[in-house]
Amino acid sequence: MENLFEPLTLGRLKLPNRIVMSPMTRSRAPEGVQGDLAPEYYAQRAAAGLIITEGTQPSVIGQGYIDTPGLHAPAHVAAWRRVTDAVHDDGGRIFVQLMHSGRIGHPSLYPDAALPVAPSAIASGEQIFTPDGMLDHPTPRALTLEDIAQTVEDFVASAKSAMEAGFDGVELHGANGYLIHQFLSDNTNQRSDAYGGSIENRIRFAVEVARAVTDAIGPERVGIRISPAHTANGISESDSKELYIALIRALAPYGLAYVHVMEFGSREITKLVRAEWPGTLILNPHATPEETSVTPESASAVLDEGLADAVSFASLWLANPDLPARIKAGGPYNAPDPATFYGGDHRGYTDYPTLDG
């Protein structure tokens, strides 16, 4: 596993290893404000080459789940500043993932009970957990051209807030069936204007967001996550290979710090992305849809193959705050407790033991 511990330059950062902490929703931020335990939770994991935070909404209407953090108000900035200070004090590096959920939302999440928004007025066909139990995602409101321009500005404003909050950079969430991915996919984007129809039009929103954010805070501080051929949240792509080749080619001139691929049995497309992307590639490897979690062995293998420059782990980081030390020692690894993944107190959040007890 020695290749996992080789240093890596990412933008302006010098990563001491290639073991990245993947974004993981924890739903412990009432009213979008990170709580008192969040600084400890993230600082415990500061030995990561890079921490990428849980998905964080850049606007009110961008929220998709209960108690997820925001980064669009002064209270959000102040709360996140405590997190970044704690991580930096322990020698870590941290990007915030900016995640607009699009149609994966519900009126119960918004103060004005508005409909969630999307490229087209097409419901996901899935459900959301709310204070009233499981409810269907409603049919979203299709974004107007003015709405799209405002949403790009929301990402920019949130990225600037991230800098104010002390983050080393931002990751744009273009994966897993959320808003940017909804524009990319032809089953969720059925627009007839400049943002729909052809591949060139469907990648337009993703490219505009990336360009605007890099202009605002610098390309070395911006990454993007994609999930080619992933069917999460009702997504279905009919042209994944051509779509992601076009997207990567369109993004390449902007010099982003990295592309982060959430793989879903799409190894052929991962290889195409790798061939087209001139910069750093972080991979969350799942060579088949049945592979449920990344292991040190699978991570080391994709580095050996040259398929990625770094590898992101999710559940292993959740349950093992000292993951690099455990990988070096060959384990053992704590098992994550699914009952404590979302919401709650310190249990399953900051109380997983380290090797040294």
Side-chain angles (χ1 to χ4, degrees), residues 148-184:
I148 291 174
Q150 181 58 57
T151 303
V152 173
E153 287 305 310
D154 290 341
F155 273 102
V156 169
S158 191
K160 290 179 178 177
S161 292
M163 298 300 96
E164 185 181 349
F167 283 102
D168 296 301
V170 305
E171 177 179 280
L172 306 174
H173 198 345
N176 294 29
Y178 300 116
L179 184 64
I180 293 176
H181 198 181
Q182 290 162 29
F183 271 94
L184 296 174

Side-chain angles (χ1 to χ4, degrees), residues 56-270:
T56 301
Q57 54 263 14
S59 62
V60 172
I61 201 67
Q63 185 172 357
Y65 301 97
I66 290 176
D67 293 341
T68 51
L71 194 45
H72 55 84
H76 302 151
V77 173
W80 274 119
R81 185 79 211 200
R82 297 173 59 207
V83 172
T84 62
D85 284 348
V87 169
H88 291 147
D89 286 347
D90 278 2
R93 296 137 300 276
I94 183 167
F95 272 42
V96 61
Q97 187 190 67
L98 299 183
M99 169 180 151
H100 192 306
S101 296
R103 69 177 186 170
I104 306 303
H106 195 274
S108 64
L109 296 172
Y110 316 126
D112 58 358
L115 286 172
V117 296
S120 303
I122 302 170
S124 72
E126 301 189 4
Q127 293 188 312
I128 182 174
F129 178 79
T130 76
D132 298 319
M134 297 300 293
L135 298 176
D136 292 339
H137 286 135
T139 299
R141 178 177 67 82
L143 290 159
T144 66
L145 292 177
E146 292 76 14
D147 292 331
I148 291 174
Q150 181 58 57
T151 303
V152 173
E153 287 305 310
D154 290 341
F155 273 102
V156 169
S158 191
K160 290 179 178 177
S161 292
M163 298 300 96
E164 185 181 349
F167 283 102
D168 296 301
V170 305
E171 177 179 280
L172 306 174
H173 198 345
N176 294 29
Y178 300 116
L179 184 64
I180 293 176
H181 198 181
Q182 290 162 29
F183 271 94
L184 296 174
S185 174
D186 54 352
N187 85 314
T188 48
N189 182 351
Q190 297 185 9
R191 302 177 69 96
S192 58
D193 59 14
Y195 291 90
S198 67
I199 286 177
E200 180 184 8
N201 285 352
R202 283 185 278 126
I203 68 174
R204 189 182 306 277
F205 178 70
V207 175
E208 286 184 354
V209 172
R211 181 174 63 241
V213 173
T214 59
D215 285 348
I217 66 171
E220 72 280 1
R221 295 187 176 94
V222 183
I224 188 168
R225 193 181 210 208
I226 58 174
S227 57
H230 200 342
T231 57
N233 289 313
I235 288 287
S236 177
E237 299 166 356
S238 68
D239 49 9
S240 297
K241 291 181 186 178
E242 298 81 3
L243 174 66
Y244 287 95
I245 289 174
L247 176 62
I248 292 301
R249 287 177 177 173
L251 291 174
Y254 299 108
L256 275 63
Y258 65 83
V259 166
H260 183 186
V261 178
M262 165 61 190
E263 194 177 49
F264 185 71
S266 53
R267 184 56 55 89
E268 182 182 2
I269 302 177
T270 302

